[in-house]
Amino acid sequence: MSYPASRILAATRSELAEPTDAELLARFVNDRDAGAFELLVWRHAGLVLRACRSVLGDHHAAEDAAQAVFLALARQAPAVGRLGSVTGWLFRVARRVAYRATRRRVLPTVSTTDLDALPADLDALPVAPALIPDQNFDLVLHEELDRLSEPHRTLVLLCFFEGLTHAEAARRLGWPVGTVASRVARAKDKLADRLIQRGVSLSVLAPVALAVSPSFVTATTRAAVAFATTRRTLVADTVFELAKQEIRMTLAKKVLNLAIGAVIVCCALALGLRSSAEPPSVSPPPQAVPVAKEPAKKPPQAVVSKTFAVAPITTELQRRLYRGAGPNSTAVVIVDGAALFKDPKTLNTDALNLKELQTALESLRPEKGRSVAHIEMHYGRDRTSGNCIDWLDSALIGTLVSAGFVPSDPTHRTISHNSAFSFEDYVAPLKDNKGTDDTENGVGDERVRAYPVRTPLSRALTQSVGGVVEVYPRLVCKTDDWVPEGVDKSAVAALEKLKLAKGQRINFLWNIRPERDSQTSERIQSVCERWVKNAGLELGQLSY
């Protein structure tokens, strides 16, 4: 039976009696204590909802994703309990599940002539300003949190997202208070440096609590307990599928890690047996060898196949085009998903040569355990079987790991197309090595930056436009004068500094809040057209 909310809240106020996350999970695993799990939901629901909402931008979709996260926690409680605090685990899983939930929700980038065709139901319900910061850079903040080490990330989440004091965080983690204080300070410094580089102030770290309703906690607890104990489903099918996908992906990664470990052990044994069978050799004395100046290394070249392309990520623009990419992001795998299916429910396993893909990835010379690879999947409009997609995801992730890469989180982005899409034309720029060495440095300020498009990968991702302009502040587009004067001036100045030839096309990346109306698309297009016209350029695609 569920604990009354009053008893749970009273328990959380008692600092001396407050159980740790590990103790609560142990009570749930050993005794099936629903009250212990409900206390975990109360404790961390605000953090999970905020992480999901930063990706999805919609309250109801964020609640569905958050429920799936807690269902996955209930099923994997024994393993997660050994981690101590589950805060970091919940944050990472929340982001994965939220990005996975966008698979059926994200619209592809469209040309300006197609803006009127966007469905009106993209408008989300209005969000109370008190729930999120005035300038909501939560998505950027969470991306940079992902780059912190696990101890630093956990402390930031506990102290700034869940509002614990240093003493409370120390008790939760079993660390000395001095250790917590010093690590929090270092984490803030690292986070501030990285946020400033992306034009975001550290003020976005101010604690902001999303309201958590008792009904959400009760329903989530009941569903999670039933899911873990009786395998019954008390949630919507979409929530159930998200939870199952997360559990399957976790199991797949464990199997891959075990397989890699077995291969390493076998190789070590083989080398040991060989060395023991051979007599020791005496090396000749070293001779002085003149040191030749090593030539500068050129970036590796892209590899293009019939159903996939592999390209190095070398510039900041490419990382901006792949949301969530960081300094360790070094490769992208572009896959023609439509060619891999005989029909929406039948995967054509012969169409994708995983060995060829692994060889292409290895040619990029990854730094094992650090280099991150992103996967971009292209599908047709037909609804494809979720089980087939999950199998394909697992196969691709296994190939990335075997080649020495770390899969990105989320593992991939999905783009749907109409019948006119040609994968061969899309990856054609990757066959041209022109501009491979270019840095594509951006110009502008903390509000707007403009990038020239010169490298093969950037040309492929943007359909060979002249440049890309990114507007950082998250804006509300519901009035005719919706663009702040500072942003307007920054955009004009950035386009001028870009110094492109007249008539070239420009793509725009916007950060628009979900409060929209039927005129939002028209207003965005109108502002972009004014900017490019003043610069003597033409409008390309809009993403927001």
Side-chain angles (χ1 to χ4, degrees):
M1 178 179 293
S2 170
Y3 278 21
S6 59
R7 288 181 61 188
I8 294 171
L9 292 175
T12 61
R13 294 191 189 102
S14 177
E15 294 184 355
L16 294 177
E18 183 184 58
T20 65
D21 291 344
E23 291 170 343
L24 291 173
L25 281 174
R27 283 162 47 183
F28 176 67
V29 172
N30 298 328
D31 306 325
R32 291 306 181 197
D33 186 343
F37 194 86
E38 188 167 9
L39 182 51
L40 278 171
V41 178
W42 270 114
R43 182 178 285 178
H44 300 297
L47 164 68
V48 174
L49 283 167
R50 182 174 175 182
C52 294
R53 184 164 181 165
S54 73
V55 175
L56 295 165
D58 176 79
H59 177 70
H60 298 294
E63 284 196 340
D64 287 348
Q67 276 197 326
V69 172
F70 285 110
L71 260 64
L73 173 63
R75 181 66 66 84
Q76 301 177 84
V80 179
R82 292 191 288 270
L83 301 177
S85 173
V86 303
T87 308
W89 185 90
L90 287 171
F91 177 76
R92 295 192 307 273
V93 173
R95 283 177 53 77
R96 281 202 300 268
V97 170
Y99 273 110
R100 202 170 287 133
T102 63
R103 176 180 293 166
R104 303 300 182 188
R105 298 177 73 245
V106 173
L107 287 174
T109 303
V110 295
S111 63
T112 55
T113 57
D114 295 329
L115 286 175
D116 292 337
L118 289 174
D121 63 355
L122 285 177
D123 298 347
L125 291 175
V127 180
L131 295 181
I132 46 182
D134 291 337
Q135 287 197 331
N136 187 352
F137 293 107
D138 261 13
L139 187 57
V140 175
L141 172 61
H142 291 171
E143 290 170 359
E144 294 304 328
L145 275 173
D146 262 346
R147 296 174 53 197
L148 292 177
S149 64
E150 181 63 31
H152 286 164
R153 178 169 55 239
T154 297
L155 285 173
V156 170
L157 293 173
L158 287 174
C159 295
F160 294 95
F161 281 64
E162 297 190 346
L164 300 188
T165 64
H166 290 174
E168 291 167 342
R171 278 191 291 271
R172 183 80 63 84
L173 298 171
W175 296 352
V177 177
T179 300
V180 169
S182 61
R183 289 186 176 180
V184 167
R186 286 197 296 270
K188 282 183 63 178
D189 290 342
K190 289 183 179 181
L191 198 56
D193 290 342
R194 293 172 180 177
L195 289 174
I196 289 172
Q197 290 176 8
R198 299 183 64 175
V200 180
S201 168
L202 190 61
S203 61
V204 298
L205 199 56
V208 179
L210 289 183
V212 180
S213 68
S215 60
F216 171 81
V217 174
T218 301
T220 300
T221 302
R222 288 175 179 170
V225 173
F227 185 57
T229 56
T230 65
R231 306 299 171 95
R232 289 185 300 139
T233 57
L234 304 180
V235 292
D237 290 343
T238 53
V239 177
F240 182 60
E241 283 301 317
L242 286 173
K244 285 202 305 181
Q245 287 175 10
E246 174 58 30
I247 294 168
R248 282 199 295 262
M249 292 302 295
T250 301
L251 292 175
K253 290 179 180 179
K254 287 183 178 179
V255 171
L256 284 170
N257 289 336
L258 289 173
I260 293 170
V263 170
I264 293 173
V265 170
C266 291
C267 291
L269 288 173
L271 289 173
L273 290 172
R274 179 180 177 183
S275 61
S276 63
E278 296 177 353
S281 59
V282 179
S283 301
Q287 297 180 355
V289 178
V291 178
K293 188 176 181 180
E294 186 176 337
K297 291 183 178 179
K298 290 188 175 182
Q301 303 298 316
V303 177
V304 180
S305 178
K306 186 175 181 181
T307 56
F308 73 84
V310 174
I313 295 178
T314 59
T315 70
E316 179 61 23
L317 171 59
Q318 294 165 3
R319 294 183 176 91
R320 302 307 300 156
L321 293 172
Y322 279 100
R323 185 178 292 273
N328 292 334
S329 297
T330 56
V332 57
V333 179
I334 306 173
V335 181
D336 185 6
L340 302 181
F341 288 86
K342 297 177 181 178
D343 57 63
K345 295 185 178 181
T346 307
L347 186 65
N348 183 5
T349 56
D350 296 329
L352 180 61
N353 188 329
L354 294 177
K355 183 61 178 176
E356 183 183 7
L357 175 59
Q358 181 175 338
T359 301
L361 286 165
E362 291 172 346
S363 71
L364 301 185
R365 304 186 294 272
E367 185 179 350
K368 193 168 185 179
R370 289 183 57 84
S371 297
V372 176
H374 298 254
I375 302 174
E376 179 180 303
M377 303 288 294
H378 292 263
Y379 292 107
R381 290 293 187 185
D382 295 335
R383 185 179 180 85
T384 307
S385 168
N387 290 334
C388 289
I389 292 178
D390 289 341
W391 184 95
L392 182 58
D393 286 349
S394 298
L396 291 172
I397 291 172
T399 306
L400 292 182
V401 173
S402 298
F405 282 94
V406 178
S408 64
D409 184 11
T411 54
H412 69 272
R413 69 175 185 176
T414 300
I415 304 175
S416 298
H417 301 280
N418 56 31
S419 57
F421 173 75
S422 168
F423 182 79
E424 182 179 3
D425 292 342
Y426 182 80
V427 299
L430 298 177
K431 300 178 181 179
D432 179 8
N433 293 329
K434 180 181 177 182
T436 301
D437 301 338
D438 202 288
T439 56
E440 294 181 318
N441 291 328
V443 294
D445 54 27
E446 72 278 1
R447 291 182 290 266
V448 181
R449 290 191 70 80
Y451 300 86
V453 174
R454 292 170 182 161
T455 61
L457 179 57
S458 296
R459 294 201 304 272
L461 297 178
T462 63
Q463 298 183 18
S464 298
V465 298
V468 174
V469 172
E470 182 171 16
V471 182
Y472 290 112
R474 195 168 195 188
L475 304 176
V476 177
C477 180
K478 295 187 70 173
T479 60
D480 291 339
D481 58 348
W482 63 283
V483 179
E485 182 180 357
V487 172
D488 190 82
K489 291 182 177 178
S490 293
V492 172
L495 282 170
E496 184 178 349
K497 293 177 182 177
L498 201 55
K499 297 181 179 179
L500 293 178
K502 300 297 183 182
Q504 292 202 47
R505 291 179 297 134
I506 294 288
N507 286 357
F508 284 86
L509 305 177
W510 287 89
N511 194 7
I512 303 297
R513 291 173 65 116
E515 302 95 306
R516 308 175 187 178
D517 59 26
S518 59
Q519 302 299 313
T520 294
S521 298
E522 184 178 339
R523 293 190 189 103
I524 296 173
Q525 182 175 350
S526 175
V527 169
C528 294
E529 286 178 341
R530 173 169 58 82
W531 286 343
V532 297
K533 183 178 180 180
N534 290 341
L537 304 170
E538 294 184 5
L539 185 58
Q541 296 178 336
L542 309 179
S543 296
Y544 53 90

